[in-house]
Amino acid sequence: MKAVAIKKGQTREKEPAGFQEMGTLRCDGCGDEFVICHQPAFANKWSADQQARWLERVLAEEHEGDKKHADRIELPD
């Protein structure tokens, strides 16, 4: 796993040790916030921006399907 999004405010999932925070995304549907984290060797701002766009679509689809957001979402490379 090179990148992950962790939901803020929950207690089960934590940022993986050694990962670098790349930014935060807020869900337009419910306001949940997710921190995008990368392994330092793969930290890339452009990739984080692309992953944020992907995550926005995933979160919107979950609202359309009345699904709850996971506490941890593995992001595509």
Side-chain angles (χ1 to χ4, degrees):
M1 170 180 55
K2 295 179 185 176
V4 65
I6 305 291
K7 188 191 309 183
K8 284 185 163 185
Q10 48 80 30
T11 57
R12 291 188 328 206
E13 295 291 340
K14 299 291 180 200
E15 180 179 314
F19 273 54
Q20 179 178 338
E21 287 189 18
M22 299 299 294
T24 303
L25 175 81
R26 183 186 304 264
C27 176
D28 290 336
C30 64
D32 282 349
E33 289 185 317
F34 290 83
V35 178
I36 294 175
C37 304
H38 286 181
Q39 287 184 5
F42 300 101
N44 181 298
K45 182 66 176 153
W46 184 83
S47 292
D49 290 342
Q50 298 301 311
Q51 291 163 339
R53 289 188 186 106
W54 177 85
L55 184 57
E56 283 178 325
R57 290 191 300 272
V58 168
L59 298 177
E61 289 171 4
E62 288 179 347
H63 280 288
E64 289 173 8
D66 289 328
K67 296 180 183 176
K68 293 184 82 175
H69 302 316
D71 291 341
R72 175 189 198 114
I73 300 171
E74 191 167 338
L75 300 171
D77 294 335

